[in-house]
Amino acid sequence: DANPMYTQKFRPCCTNVTGGCILTSQEHCLFLKGLWQENSETCSQVNCLSQICGMNQLQCKSKNTPYIAEANQGYRLVTALFVHAGVLHLILMIVAQLILGSQIERTAGWFRIMLIYLTSGIGGNLISSVFVPYEATCGAGGPVYGLLGVVLVEFLQSYQVVIKPGIELLKLLTVIILSLFIGTLPYLDNFANIGGIVFGVLSAYLFLPYITFGKFDYGRKVFQIIVAFLLIVFLFIVGFVAFYIVQGTDWCKNCYYLNCIPYSTNMCHNHFISL
């Protein structure tokens, strides 16, 4: 008796969050928890990045059907601020926010500090998504560095009443530079930190109340508010265009060293987390 011929159908299968695609069987695609492309024959016919699942659709539809979901992950720019990589990470973020934010909140109010927190956090995550789109990060690093920017703006807006302003400015800049230097170590998202400081400074100019010293100082601070608002809008537009349309940073290949500097051999080799 002749053995019955066994045929296997291979189709594109989208795997992992980097948009990878392989030709394989449906069973193997299911094993990889990938997206089986029944109606396509080659990987060039599918757009895997557009079909990566969202947080609300992580389960399989049935035992024999691979993961099916829609690309609806824009909200991760917000939700990532409230997710932490363990208890120690959470405690460090809470302590940093208490040290930097408690005094600011007492003087500026919870609503203003909330606006600054979200603006610097979302802005920092957006910058991080543009430059390191395949790196899994979480936490309130952007808002914490944004609060550093707020402290800097508070000083610049009221240095007239500060005793020895030059020394105080030097101490503040030292803290900011040291914090950014720490961000160049592996497994830290320094792009979110840098973005947090930039958006934190701009949002502080926009939202914080100020003491004015004469008409000229009043006019200067009104002008700063207008410029800060326009720059925030401009940076968000550029960031979203770069993230959703441009999708690449080939124009700044050395920008990677702002995120991780290899102080020793292979120090940044495993910096990126593959999912």
Side-chain angles (χ1 to χ4, degrees):
D1 296 335
N3 293 326
M5 182 176 295
Y6 178 76
T7 60
Q8 184 71 52
K9 182 169 64 174
F10 284 78
R11 289 290 185 269
C13 175
C14 297
T15 60
N16 64 48
V17 298
T18 62
C21 178
I22 60 173
L23 288 175
T24 187
S25 64
Q26 184 175 5
E27 291 77 12
H28 187 222
C29 187
L30 177 62
F31 173 77
L32 296 176
K33 297 182 180 179
L35 293 171
W36 174 255
Q37 307 293 330
E38 174 70 29
N39 298 322
S40 301
E41 295 183 353
T42 64
C43 285
S44 62
Q45 297 175 326
V46 300
N47 183 1
C48 288
L49 283 177
S50 68
Q51 301 180 49
I52 294 175
C53 61
M55 286 174 58
N56 61 334
Q57 292 178 316
L58 292 179
Q59 72 282 358
C60 288
K61 293 181 65 177
S62 67
K63 182 184 295 186
N64 298 319
T65 304
Y67 286 68
I68 303 296
E70 297 178 356
N72 55 352
Q73 298 188 6
Y75 52 80
R76 290 181 184 266
L77 296 174
V78 180
T79 56
L81 301 175
F82 307 101
V83 179
H84 295 82
V87 177
L88 180 60
H89 186 207
L90 176 61
I91 293 175
L92 290 175
M93 291 295 101
I94 291 175
V95 172
Q97 291 176 64
L98 286 175
I99 295 174
L100 295 171
S102 58
Q103 180 60 41
I104 300 173
E105 185 175 353
R106 283 194 291 268
T107 57
W110 68 269
F111 185 71
R112 286 190 175 95
I113 201 68
M114 179 192 69
L115 293 176
I116 294 172
Y117 188 93
L118 291 177
T119 302
S120 57
I122 296 172
N125 283 346
L126 180 60
I127 298 300
S128 172
S129 299
V130 171
F131 284 95
V132 282
Y134 301 141
E135 183 177 345
T137 60
C138 61
V144 168
Y145 278 75
L147 292 176
L148 278 175
V150 173
V151 175
L152 176 62
V153 171
E154 275 200 321
F155 171 83
L156 294 176
Q157 293 289 62
S158 58
Y159 70 91
Q160 295 93 333
V161 297
V162 176
I163 301 175
K164 296 182 179 180
I167 295 177
E168 295 301 322
L169 177 61
L170 180 61
K171 291 193 295 185
L172 181 56
L173 291 178
T174 300
V175 172
I176 293 175
I177 293 173
L178 180 61
S179 299
L180 291 175
F181 171 77
I182 294 174
T184 61
L185 297 174
Y187 305 110
L188 297 175
D189 188 359
N190 211 31
F191 282 117
N193 300 337
I194 295 172
I197 285 185
V198 172
F199 280 92
V201 167
L202 294 176
S203 57
Y205 275 116
L206 179 61
F207 296 120
L208 285 184
Y210 303 117
I211 301 173
T212 57
F213 304 90
K215 291 184 178 180
F216 174 79
D217 189 59
Y218 173 79
R220 177 177 66 87
K221 289 174 179 176
V222 170
F223 177 75
Q224 289 174 345
I225 292 173
I226 296 173
V227 172
F229 173 75
L230 294 176
L231 285 176
I232 289 175
V233 173
F234 173 76
L235 288 177
F236 269 117
I237 292 175
V238 171
F240 280 112
V241 169
F243 179 63
Y244 282 105
I245 299 177
V246 178
Q247 295 185 345
T249 55
D250 293 338
W251 49 272
C252 189
K253 295 182 179 179
N254 291 327
C255 287
Y256 171 78
Y257 294 106
L258 294 174
N259 199 42
C260 185
I261 297 177
Y263 298 104
S264 62
T265 305
N266 295 328
M267 188 172 184
C268 299
H269 179 68
N270 295 321
H271 184 53
F272 291 102
I273 302 174
S274 180
L275 298 179

